[in-house]
Amino acid sequence: MMKEKIQLKGITWGHTRGFVPMVATAQRFEELHPEVEIVWKKRTLQEFADKSVTDLAKEYDLMVIDHPWTGHAAAKGMLAAFDDFLPADFLADQRDNSVGQSYASYNFEGKQWALPTDAATPVAASRPDLLQQMGLALPRTFDDLLALAKKGRVGFSLLPIDVLMSFYGFCCSMGEAPCQYDERVVSEETGSMVLKLFKSLSDHLDTRFYTKNPFKVFEDMTQQDEIAYCPFAYGYSNYSRQGYARKLLHFHDLVSLNEQDGPMVSTLGGAGLAVSSQGKHIDVAMAYAQFVASPEIQETVYVENGGQPGHLRAWESERVNAATADYFTNTLPTLQRAYLRPRYDGHLHFQDHAGDVVVNYLKHGGSEKIVLDELNRMYRESLVEERTHG
């Protein structure tokens, strides 16, 4: 009689970058371990950000998660800590070959709650063919960017979550990282300058960008011939691969706020592979996670199937870069200096609502002080929530 297979269920997000590499790695793992079957399901990017990891961990053995969930997941005990299952030298390699703070982003209260299998931060994207047709160079400074935006050639995501991430990035670029103090998100002086600068740019964007997430912006850029440049959106190396989209995008480091400064700072994103503590086969799920995150698989099966790896070896690989118009080489500096946003349990509530306040300002204007006061109020509430539940 045939022994029943060990079945693992996984959930990820429904883009080529999120789904296809998980299916491909699962297929290969099953071939190497015939007693195991891994079934991956996908959800939208919005559901990916919204549905609680706590709820997902009751249903799935494997989860591709956003790092801001780390504090919440650790507090609720719904994830298994990798330190308790995987060899110390494997985790040391993961830490030493982290792209920017990707590995650290899943480390909370001294435990590793996910492996950084996917690395991303807002980077710049261009249509080299369109810029060439217009006889224009790649924007280097914010003034260059503004001039291009006034020509109607710039697009980026104005969804609340992306606007908040851009707001954080502007603050860091002005020399003040947000959320460093208990009473405020950012000083009134920096916050006001950031809001005015951000609005000066968003005023020249088509309103359709209030409904587009980063990869919808890239679809817009590749399916039509209007937008030549996106100054910041979470990068997707898929669009720099021949044949993936109608036109090829090139990806770059960010513009500088002015001539004397270095490039802007952006807010770290990416995704990690986590294992539920509620499953029957945690050891098997851990073995698969180790397989996916290993440098060999990250540099081959994972990236070849549309993944955007989290291991430095893949980012520095000549072969990987040759296949992606140097996406990884060109954006690695942006990743290396990206800002790591708060991950305490209560911050998710702030993150879910603060973007709406900034979007409202970008659309309708108003008092910068009122916007900042409202952000500070929400932020303080999120800290109280953390202390109450934490």
Side-chain angles (χ1 to χ4, degrees):
M1 194 173 121
M2 261 182 77
K3 201 169 152 217
E4 202 175 315
K5 285 195 174 192
I6 293 168
Q7 194 187 65
L8 301 177
K9 283 165 41 183
I11 185 81
T12 182
W13 93 98
H15 184 272
T16 301
R17 175 181 137 200
F19 185 64
V20 183
M22 303 323 295
V23 175
T25 50
Q27 176 65 31
R28 185 65 190 123
F29 190 82
E30 289 171 7
E31 289 164 1
L32 296 169
H33 305 273
E35 74 286 1
V36 180
E37 183 184 14
I38 303 170
V39 180
W40 279 99
K41 281 181 71 178
K42 58 188 173 184
R43 54 197 169 137
T44 68
L45 199 60
Q46 196 55 53
E47 288 166 340
F48 177 72
D50 290 349
K51 189 161 182 187
S52 165
V53 167
T54 306
D55 295 338
L56 291 172
K58 293 170 189 165
E59 284 176 67
Y60 297 96
D61 303 279
L62 295 153
M63 292 157 288
V64 175
I65 67 167
D66 254 350
H67 66 76
W69 281 101
T70 310
H72 174 81
K76 301 288 183 281
M78 296 303 280
L79 298 182
F82 282 86
D83 325 64
D84 301 342
F85 292 88
L86 297 190
D89 59 347
F90 175 81
L91 291 177
D93 173 78
Q94 291 281 301
R95 187 188 64 236
D96 295 345
N97 288 284
S98 173
V99 177
Q101 296 192 73
S102 297
Y103 183 83
S105 71
Y106 303 102
N107 198 290
F108 199 78
E109 290 170 355
K111 293 274 190 181
Q112 194 66 25
W113 302 102
L115 297 177
T117 47
D118 174 291
T121 200
V123 293
S126 73
R127 278 276 305 272
D129 58 325
L130 289 182
L131 288 173
Q132 199 178 355
Q133 271 172 34
M134 294 187 289
L136 292 172
L138 207 57
R140 296 277 166 219
T141 64
F142 190 82
D143 285 345
D144 296 344
L145 169 60
L146 209 49
L148 193 57
K150 286 173 181 172
K151 291 184 165 79
R153 297 296 196 156
V154 170
F156 57 88
S157 174
L158 288 167
L159 287 180
I161 184 67
D162 293 292
V163 161
L164 183 64
M165 298 304 103
S166 298
F167 175 79
Y168 286 170
F170 271 111
C171 291
C172 292
S173 305
M174 292 246 182
E176 191 181 337
C179 307
Q180 302 302 303
Y181 301 97
D182 281 2
E183 70 283 359
R184 62 164 197 246
V185 175
V186 68
S187 70
E188 197 179 319
E189 187 189 4
T190 300
S192 295
M193 283 197 305
V194 163
L195 288 168
K196 286 173 184 165
L197 197 65
F198 199 170
K199 185 162 166 51
S200 74
L201 180 61
S202 68
D203 281 349
H204 300 288
L205 259 64
D206 188 281
T207 53
R208 71 179 183 273
F209 291 104
Y210 283 103
T211 63
K212 290 183 188 285
N213 65 29
F215 72 74
K216 290 279 168 44
V217 174
F218 299 143
E219 292 290 350
D220 189 300
M221 287 179 78
T222 52
Q223 288 174 20
Q224 296 165 54
D225 298 320
E226 179 200 342
I227 302 301
Y229 188 76
C230 168
F232 27 70
Y234 283 98
Y236 280 75
S237 66
N238 314 85
Y239 297 90
S240 63
R241 303 177 194 218
Q242 208 67 48
Y244 182 76
R246 172 181 158 265
K247 295 286 182 178
L248 201 65
L249 293 184
H250 281 198
F251 288 83
H252 319 273
D253 204 343
L254 304 177
V255 298
S256 305
L257 286 183
N258 48 52
E259 295 285 358
Q260 56 273 26
D261 291 347
M264 286 178 69
V265 175
S266 55
T267 306
L268 189 69
L273 182 52
V275 171
S276 169
S277 61
Q278 311 301 297
K280 289 197 202 79
H281 307 286
I282 297 177
D283 53 340
V284 182
M286 284 281 170
Y288 168 69
Q290 181 176 358
F291 175 78
V292 176
S294 68
E296 297 75 24
I297 294 299
Q298 285 271 294
E299 195 189 351
T300 55
V301 178
Y302 190 87
V303 73
E304 285 158 12
N305 285 280
Q308 191 161 295
H311 198 284
L312 192 58
R313 192 164 110 185
W315 282 69
E316 292 179 335
S317 156
E318 281 181 24
R319 199 168 42 81
V320 169
N321 278 289
T324 56
D326 289 328
Y327 173 92
F328 296 96
T329 304
N330 289 347
T331 61
L332 184 57
T334 330
L335 264 292
Q336 300 288 34
R337 63 171 189 276
Y339 160 71
L340 180 58
R341 68 193 118 138
R343 294 160 300 142
Y344 60 86
D345 193 2
H347 193 73
L348 282 164
H349 182 76
F350 176 79
Q351 184 174 286
D352 285 347
H353 298 94
D356 295 315
V357 179
V358 185
V359 166
N360 186 56
Y361 167 81
L362 295 179
K363 278 183 171 173
H364 308 294
S367 154
E368 290 79 21
K369 185 179 186 314
I370 289 173
V371 173
L372 295 168
D373 285 349
E374 178 62 6
L375 292 179
N376 291 340
R377 184 191 62 75
M378 290 168 119
Y379 174 58
R380 287 193 295 266
E381 264 177 25
S382 77
L383 289 169
V384 170
E385 194 179 316
E386 164 70 3
R387 281 193 285 268
T388 315
H389 302 307

mmCIF file with all atom_site columns, all heavy atoms in Angstrom, residues 3-17:
data_model
loop_
_atom_site.group_PDB
_atom_site.id
_atom_site.type_symbol
_atom_site.label_atom_id
_atom_site.label_alt_id
_atom_site.label_comp_id
_atom_site.label_asym_id
_atom_site.label_entity_id
_atom_site.label_seq_id
_atom_site.pdbx_PDB_ins_code
_atom_site.Cartn_x
_atom_site.Cartn_y
_atom_site.Cartn_z
_atom_site.occupancy
_atom_site.B_iso_or_equiv
_atom_site.pdbx_formal_charge
_atom_site.auth_seq_id
_atom_site.auth_comp_id
_atom_site.auth_asym_id
_atom_site.auth_atom_id
_atom_site.pdbx_PDB_model_num
ATOM 1   N N   . LYS A 1 3  ? 2.209  4.832  0.792   1.00 0.00 ? 3  LYS A N   1
ATOM 2   C CA  . LYS A 1 3  ? 2.142  5.721  1.954   1.00 0.00 ? 3  LYS A CA  1
ATOM 3   C C   . LYS A 1 3  ? 1.571  7.062  1.501   1.00 0.00 ? 3  LYS A C   1
ATOM 4   O O   . LYS A 1 3  ? 1.891  7.560  0.419   1.00 0.00 ? 3  LYS A O   1
ATOM 5   C CB  . LYS A 1 3  ? 3.561  5.910  2.490   1.00 0.00 ? 3  LYS A CB  1
ATOM 6   C CG  . LYS A 1 3  ? 3.592  6.360  3.922   1.00 0.00 ? 3  LYS A CG  1
ATOM 7   C CD  . LYS A 1 3  ? 5.009  6.275  4.467   1.00 0.00 ? 3  LYS A CD  1
ATOM 8   C CE  . LYS A 1 3  ? 5.134  7.319  5.564   1.00 0.00 ? 3  LYS A CE  1
ATOM 9   N NZ  . LYS A 1 3  ? 6.409  7.963  5.600   1.00 0.00 ? 3  LYS A NZ  1
ATOM 10  N N   . GLU A 1 4  ? 0.712  7.653  2.326   1.00 0.00 ? 4  GLU A N   1
ATOM 11  C CA  . GLU A 1 4  ? 0.118  8.946  1.967   1.00 0.00 ? 4  GLU A CA  1
ATOM 12  C C   . GLU A 1 4  ? 1.195  10.034 1.996   1.00 0.00 ? 4  GLU A C   1
ATOM 13  O O   . GLU A 1 4  ? 2.046  10.057 2.885   1.00 0.00 ? 4  GLU A O   1
ATOM 14  C CB  . GLU A 1 4  ? -0.997 9.286  2.961   1.00 0.00 ? 4  GLU A CB  1
ATOM 15  C CG  . GLU A 1 4  ? -1.992 10.274 2.387   1.00 0.00 ? 4  GLU A CG  1
ATOM 16  C CD  . GLU A 1 4  ? -3.164 10.500 3.335   1.00 0.00 ? 4  GLU A CD  1
ATOM 17  O OE1 . GLU A 1 4  ? -3.705 9.515  3.878   1.00 0.00 ? 4  GLU A OE1 1
ATOM 18  O OE2 . GLU A 1 4  ? -3.507 11.664 3.538   1.00 0.00 ? 4  GLU A OE2 1
ATOM 19  N N   . LYS A 1 5  ? 1.129  10.908 1.000   1.00 0.00 ? 5  LYS A N   1
ATOM 20  C CA  . LYS A 1 5  ? 2.142  11.970 0.917   1.00 0.00 ? 5  LYS A CA  1
ATOM 21  C C   . LYS A 1 5  ? 1.950  13.016 2.015   1.00 0.00 ? 5  LYS A C   1
ATOM 22  O O   . LYS A 1 5  ? 0.838  13.266 2.458   1.00 0.00 ? 5  LYS A O   1
ATOM 23  C CB  . LYS A 1 5  ? 2.053  12.663 -0.439  1.00 0.00 ? 5  LYS A CB  1
ATOM 24  C CG  . LYS A 1 5  ? 2.630  11.842 -1.566  1.00 0.00 ? 5  LYS A CG  1
ATOM 25  C CD  . LYS A 1 5  ? 2.854  12.703 -2.798  1.00 0.00 ? 5  LYS A CD  1
ATOM 26  C CE  . LYS A 1 5  ? 3.566  11.908 -3.875  1.00 0.00 ? 5  LYS A CE  1
ATOM 27  N NZ  . LYS A 1 5  ? 4.058  12.720 -4.959  1.00 0.00 ? 5  LYS A NZ  1
ATOM 28  N N   . ILE A 1 6  ? 3.068  13.620 2.397   1.00 0.00 ? 6  ILE A N   1
ATOM 29  C CA  . ILE A 1 6  ? 3.018  14.775 3.298   1.00 0.00 ? 6  ILE A CA  1
ATOM 30  C C   . ILE A 1 6  ? 2.616  15.960 2.444   1.00 0.00 ? 6  ILE A C   1
ATOM 31  O O   . ILE A 1 6  ? 3.304  16.280 1.465   1.00 0.00 ? 6  ILE A O   1
ATOM 32  C CB  . ILE A 1 6  ? 4.413  15.034 3.917   1.00 0.00 ? 6  ILE A CB  1
ATOM 33  C CG1 . ILE A 1 6  ? 4.797  13.889 4.862   1.00 0.00 ? 6  ILE A CG1 1
ATOM 34  C CG2 . ILE A 1 6  ? 4.451  16.381 4.636   1.00 0.00 ? 6  ILE A CG2 1
ATOM 35  C CD1 . ILE A 1 6  ? 6.264  13.911 5.283   1.00 0.00 ? 6  ILE A CD1 1
ATOM 36  N N   . GLN A 1 7  ? 1.491  16.594 2.765   1.00 0.00 ? 7  GLN A N   1
ATOM 37  C CA  . GLN A 1 7  ? 1.076  17.746 1.959   1.00 0.00 ? 7  GLN A CA  1
ATOM 38  C C   . GLN A 1 7  ? 1.267  19.054 2.718   1.00 0.00 ? 7  GLN A C   1
ATOM 39  O O   . GLN A 1 7  ? 0.859  19.173 3.873   1.00 0.00 ? 7  GLN A O   1
ATOM 40  C CB  . GLN A 1 7  ? -0.378 17.634 1.504   1.00 0.00 ? 7  GLN A CB  1
ATOM 41  C CG  . GLN A 1 7  ? -0.654 18.655 0.402   1.00 0.00 ? 7  GLN A CG  1
ATOM 42  C CD  . GLN A 1 7  ? -2.117 18.751 -0.010  1.00 0.00 ? 7  GLN A CD  1
ATOM 43  O OE1 . GLN A 1 7  ? -2.969 19.147 0.787   1.00 0.00 ? 7  GLN A OE1 1
ATOM 44  N NE2 . GLN A 1 7  ? -2.402 18.405 -1.253  1.00 0.00 ? 7  GLN A NE2 1
ATOM 45  N N   . LEU A 1 8  ? 1.931  20.001 2.066   1.00 0.00 ? 8  LEU A N   1
ATOM 46  C CA  . LEU A 1 8  ? 2.092  21.345 2.622   1.00 0.00 ? 8  LEU A CA  1
ATOM 47  C C   . LEU A 1 8  ? 1.312  22.317 1.755   1.00 0.00 ? 8  LEU A C   1
ATOM 48  O O   . LEU A 1 8  ? 1.312  22.213 0.525   1.00 0.00 ? 8  LEU A O   1
ATOM 49  C CB  . LEU A 1 8  ? 3.566  21.762 2.628   1.00 0.00 ? 8  LEU A CB  1
ATOM 50  C CG  . LEU A 1 8  ? 4.551  20.894 3.412   1.00 0.00 ? 8  LEU A CG  1
ATOM 51  C CD1 . LEU A 1 8  ? 5.967  21.435 3.243   1.00 0.00 ? 8  LEU A CD1 1
ATOM 52  C CD2 . LEU A 1 8  ? 4.190  20.844 4.893   1.00 0.00 ? 8  LEU A CD2 1
ATOM 53  N N   . LYS A 1 9  ? 0.652  23.279 2.410   1.00 0.00 ? 9  LYS A N   1
ATOM 54  C CA  . LYS A 1 9  ? -0.078 24.319 1.671   1.00 0.00 ? 9  LYS A CA  1
ATOM 55  C C   . LYS A 1 9  ? 0.623  25.657 1.873   1.00 0.00 ? 9  LYS A C   1
ATOM 56  O O   . LYS A 1 9  ? 0.991  26.003 2.999   1.00 0.00 ? 9  LYS A O   1
ATOM 57  C CB  . LYS A 1 9  ? -1.525 24.408 2.183   1.00 0.00 ? 9  LYS A CB  1
ATOM 58  C CG  . LYS A 1 9  ? -2.406 23.292 1.655   1.00 0.00 ? 9  LYS A CG  1
ATOM 59  C CD  . LYS A 1 9  ? -3.720 23.129 2.381   1.00 0.00 ? 9  LYS A CD  1
ATOM 60  C CE  . LYS A 1 9  ? -4.405 24.433 2.745   1.00 0.00 ? 9  LYS A CE  1
ATOM 61  N NZ  . LYS A 1 9  ? -5.634 24.177 3.518   1.00 0.00 ? 9  LYS A NZ  1
ATOM 62  N N   . GLY A 1 10 ? 0.796  26.394 0.778   1.00 0.00 ? 10 GLY A N   1
ATOM 63  C CA  . GLY A 1 10 ? 1.456  27.690 0.851   1.00 0.00 ? 10 GLY A CA  1
ATOM 64  C C   . GLY A 1 10 ? 0.615  28.795 0.243   1.00 0.00 ? 10 GLY A C   1
ATOM 65  O O   . GLY A 1 10 ? -0.202 28.545 -0.641  1.00 0.00 ? 10 GLY A O   1
ATOM 66  N N   . ILE A 1 11 ? 0.816  30.021 0.723   1.00 0.00 ? 11 ILE A N   1
ATOM 67  C CA  . ILE A 1 11 ? 0.100  31.191 0.176   1.00 0.00 ? 11 ILE A CA  1
ATOM 68  C C   . ILE A 1 11 ? 1.111  32.293 -0.153  1.00 0.00 ? 11 ILE A C   1
ATOM 69  O O   . ILE A 1 11 ? 2.001  32.594 0.640   1.00 0.00 ? 11 ILE A O   1
ATOM 70  C CB  . ILE A 1 11 ? -0.991 31.698 1.167   1.00 0.00 ? 11 ILE A CB  1
ATOM 71  C CG1 . ILE A 1 11 ? -1.823 32.829 0.556   1.00 0.00 ? 11 ILE A CG1 1
ATOM 72  C CG2 . ILE A 1 11 ? -0.421 32.126 2.504   1.00 0.00 ? 11 ILE A CG2 1
ATOM 73  C CD1 . ILE A 1 11 ? -2.923 32.385 -0.356  1.00 0.00 ? 11 ILE A CD1 1
ATOM 74  N N   . THR A 1 12 ? 0.976  32.855 -1.363  1.00 0.00 ? 12 THR A N   1
ATOM 75  C CA  . THR A 1 12 ? 1.846  33.943 -1.786  1.00 0.00 ? 12 THR A CA  1
ATOM 76  C C   . THR A 1 12 ? 0.994  34.974 -2.529  1.00 0.00 ? 12 THR A C   1
ATOM 77  O O   . THR A 1 12 ? -0.235 34.894 -2.496  1.00 0.00 ? 12 THR A O   1
ATOM 78  C CB  . THR A 1 12 ? 3.002  33.412 -2.658  1.00 0.00 ? 12 THR A CB  1
ATOM 79  O OG1 . THR A 1 12 ? 3.860  34.505 -3.023  1.00 0.00 ? 12 THR A OG1 1
ATOM 80  C CG2 . THR A 1 12 ? 2.506  32.716 -3.918  1.00 0.00 ? 12 THR A CG2 1
ATOM 81  N N   . TRP A 1 13 ? 1.649  35.949 -3.179  1.00 0.00 ? 13 TRP A N   1
ATOM 82  C CA  . TRP A 1 13 ? 0.844  36.953 -3.874  1.00 0.00 ? 13 TRP A CA  1
ATOM 83  C C   . TRP A 1 13 ? 0.893  36.745 -5.376  1.00 0.00 ? 13 TRP A C   1
ATOM 84  O O   . TRP A 1 13 ? 1.846  36.214 -5.925  1.00 0.00 ? 13 TRP A O   1
ATOM 85  C CB  . TRP A 1 13 ? 1.218  38.365 -3.432  1.00 0.00 ? 13 TRP A CB  1
ATOM 86  C CG  . TRP A 1 13 ? 2.232  39.128 -4.213  1.00 0.00 ? 13 TRP A CG  1
ATOM 87  C CD1 . TRP A 1 13 ? 1.983  40.065 -5.170  1.00 0.00 ? 13 TRP A CD1 1
ATOM 88  C CD2 . TRP A 1 13 ? 3.654  39.082 -4.072  1.00 0.00 ? 13 TRP A CD2 1
ATOM 89  N NE1 . TRP A 1 13 ? 3.166  40.592 -5.625  1.00 0.00 ? 13 TRP A NE1 1
ATOM 90  C CE2 . TRP A 1 13 ? 4.214  40.005 -4.976  1.00 0.00 ? 13 TRP A CE2 1
ATOM 91  C CE3 . TRP A 1 13 ? 4.524  38.346 -3.265  1.00 0.00 ? 13 TRP A CE3 1
ATOM 92  C CZ2 . TRP A 1 13 ? 5.580  40.219 -5.097  1.00 0.00 ? 13 TRP A CZ2 1
ATOM 93  C CZ3 . TRP A 1 13 ? 5.897  38.538 -3.389  1.00 0.00 ? 13 TRP A CZ3 1
ATOM 94  C CH2 . TRP A 1 13 ? 6.401  39.467 -4.289  1.00 0.00 ? 13 TRP A CH2 1
ATOM 95  N N   . GLY A 1 14 ? -0.214 37.166 -6.040  1.00 0.00 ? 14 GLY A N   1
ATOM 96  C CA  . GLY A 1 14 ? -0.465 36.794 -7.421  1.00 0.00 ? 14 GLY A CA  1
ATOM 97  C C   . GLY A 1 14 ? 0.196  37.652 -8.474  1.00 0.00 ? 14 GLY A C   1
ATOM 98  O O   . GLY A 1 14 ? -0.490 38.266 -9.287  1.00 0.00 ? 14 GLY A O   1
ATOM 99  N N   . HIS A 1 15 ? 1.496  37.711 -8.466  1.00 0.00 ? 15 HIS A N   1
ATOM 100 C CA  . HIS A 1 15 ? 2.234  38.301 -9.586  1.00 0.00 ? 15 HIS A CA  1
ATOM 101 C C   . HIS A 1 15 ? 3.273  37.265 -9.984  1.00 0.00 ? 15 HIS A C   1
ATOM 102 O O   . HIS A 1 15 ? 3.659  36.432 -9.157  1.00 0.00 ? 15 HIS A O   1
ATOM 103 C CB  . HIS A 1 15 ? 2.916  39.610 -9.165  1.00 0.00 ? 15 HIS A CB  1
ATOM 104 C CG  . HIS A 1 15 ? 3.611  40.319 -10.290 1.00 0.00 ? 15 HIS A CG  1
ATOM 105 N ND1 . HIS A 1 15 ? 4.917  40.046 -10.632 1.00 0.00 ? 15 HIS A ND1 1
ATOM 106 C CD2 . HIS A 1 15 ? 3.169  41.257 -11.168 1.00 0.00 ? 15 HIS A CD2 1
ATOM 107 C CE1 . HIS A 1 15 ? 5.252  40.810 -11.677 1.00 0.00 ? 15 HIS A CE1 1
ATOM 108 N NE2 . HIS A 1 15 ? 4.219  41.535 -12.015 1.00 0.00 ? 15 HIS A NE2 1
ATOM 109 N N   . THR A 1 16 ? 3.744  37.324 -11.223 1.00 0.00 ? 16 THR A N   1
ATOM 110 C CA  . THR A 1 16 ? 4.798  36.397 -11.674 1.00 0.00 ? 16 THR A CA  1
ATOM 111 C C   . THR A 1 16 ? 5.916  36.309 -10.637 1.00 0.00 ? 16 THR A C   1
ATOM 112 O O   . THR A 1 16 ? 6.382  35.219 -10.305 1.00 0.00 ? 16 THR A O   1
ATOM 113 C CB  . THR A 1 16 ? 5.374  36.887 -13.021 1.00 0.00 ? 16 THR A CB  1
ATOM 114 O OG1 . THR A 1 16 ? 4.313  36.939 -13.970 1.00 0.00 ? 16 THR A OG1 1
ATOM 115 C CG2 . THR A 1 16 ? 6.463  35.962 -13.531 1.00 0.00 ? 16 THR A CG2 1
ATOM 116 N N   . ARG A 1 17 ? 6.335  37.483 -10.114 1.00 0.00 ? 17 ARG A N   1
ATOM 117 C CA  . ARG A 1 17 ? 7.432  37.511 -9.150  1.00 0.00 ? 17 ARG A CA  1
ATOM 118 C C   . ARG A 1 17 ? 7.083  36.774 -7.847  1.00 0.00 ? 17 ARG A C   1
ATOM 119 O O   . ARG A 1 17 ? 7.958  36.181 -7.214  1.00 0.00 ? 17 ARG A O   1
ATOM 120 C CB  . ARG A 1 17 ? 7.775  38.977 -8.836  1.00 0.00 ? 17 ARG A CB  1
ATOM 121 C CG  . ARG A 1 17 ? 8.817  39.158 -7.765  1.00 0.00 ? 17 ARG A CG  1
ATOM 122 C CD  . ARG A 1 17 ? 9.066  40.646 -7.512  1.00 0.00 ? 17 ARG A CD  1
ATOM 123 N NE  . ARG A 1 17 ? 9.171  40.929 -6.096  1.00 0.00 ? 17 ARG A NE  1
ATOM 124 C CZ  . ARG A 1 17 ? 8.999  42.123 -5.558  1.00 0.00 ? 17 ARG A CZ  1
ATOM 125 N NH1 . ARG A 1 17 ? 8.710  43.159 -6.332  1.00 0.00 ? 17 ARG A NH1 1
ATOM 126 N NH2 . ARG A 1 17 ? 9.105  42.296 -4.256  1.00 0.00 ? 17 ARG A NH2 1
#
